[in-house]
Amino acid sequence: TQVADSVKQRKPFFERLRRLEEQFRRFQELSLTRLQVISENFNISSSVDTRLQLLTEQSSNITATINTFHGVAESDIRSLKSWMKKLQKKVKKIELKMSTLEQVLSERSKQLSKDQTEQRSVMSNL
């Protein structure tokens, strides 16, 4: 009877221990599942951070390229403006020379016509 009483006292203890072990096992499974979700979220976050960093670097490279292009384009435009001003000055000089030559030619033509008229007059008076 003493042995039976001892077994009866131990049975609730072992039953309670078995339930605690089962609860602990479920707690471990749940904890593992939650840690895996956290890990996946961290990996996603890390992947997004990596992608964002890559995009930032690409944006910086594009900005640098555009700035370089802008500088070169401005330099080219200044050079073209300078060349255009020189060309306009040359064109004005040529136009002035052409105008002067046209005036000289017109005057010579008038003089030649006048001379011819005078020669005819002299010839007709002879």
Side-chain angles (χ1 to χ4, degrees), residues 36-54:
Q36 287 172 338
V37 167
I38 290 170
S39 175
E40 288 173 5
N41 287 340
F42 177 76
N43 287 340
I44 289 171
S45 176
S46 177
S47 174
V48 167
D49 287 345
T50 302
R51 180 70 176 142
L52 187 59
Q53 184 177 1
L54 177 65

Side-chain angles (χ1 to χ4, degrees), residues 17-58:
L17 182 60
R18 187 189 61 73
R19 283 191 313 244
L20 284 174
E21 285 178 344
E22 180 61 26
Q23 286 177 350
F24 184 70
R25 187 189 59 76
R26 282 189 302 225
F27 174 75
Q28 281 182 318
E29 289 174 358
L30 184 61
S31 295
L32 178 63
T33 302
R34 287 184 178 169
L35 287 173
Q36 287 172 338
V37 167
I38 290 170
S39 175
E40 288 173 5
N41 287 340
F42 177 76
N43 287 340
I44 289 171
S45 176
S46 177
S47 174
V48 167
D49 287 345
T50 302
R51 180 70 176 142
L52 187 59
Q53 184 177 1
L54 177 65
L55 289 173
T56 301
E57 289 172 5
Q58 288 176 342

Side-chain angles (χ1 to χ4, degrees), residues 68-81:
T68 301
F69 174 77
H70 184 64
V72 169
E74 282 185 348
S75 174
D76 287 349
I77 288 171
R78 282 192 301 273
S79 175
L80 286 172
K81 283 181 179 179

Side-chain angles (χ1 to χ4, degrees), residues 47-121:
S47 174
V48 167
D49 287 345
T50 302
R51 180 70 176 142
L52 187 59
Q53 184 177 1
L54 177 65
L55 289 173
T56 301
E57 289 172 5
Q58 288 176 342
S59 174
S60 295
N61 290 340
I62 290 170
T63 300
T65 301
I66 288 172
N67 287 340
T68 301
F69 174 77
H70 184 64
V72 169
E74 282 185 348
S75 174
D76 287 349
I77 288 171
R78 282 192 301 273
S79 175
L80 286 172
K81 283 181 179 179
S82 172
W83 178 78
M84 195 168 86
K85 284 181 181 178
K86 289 178 184 176
L87 186 61
Q88 286 174 338
K89 285 180 182 179
K90 286 182 181 180
V91 166
K92 282 184 180 180
K93 284 181 181 179
I94 290 172
E95 285 176 347
L96 183 61
K97 285 181 181 179
M98 288 294 292
S99 175
T100 303
L101 287 173
E102 285 174 352
Q103 285 176 353
V104 167
L105 182 62
S106 176
E107 288 175 10
R108 284 188 179 171
S109 233
K110 286 179 185 176
Q111 186 63 42
L112 184 61
S113 178
K114 185 179 173 186
D115 288 350
Q116 285 177 348
T117 305
E118 285 178 4
Q119 281 180 358
R120 284 187 197 134
S121 170

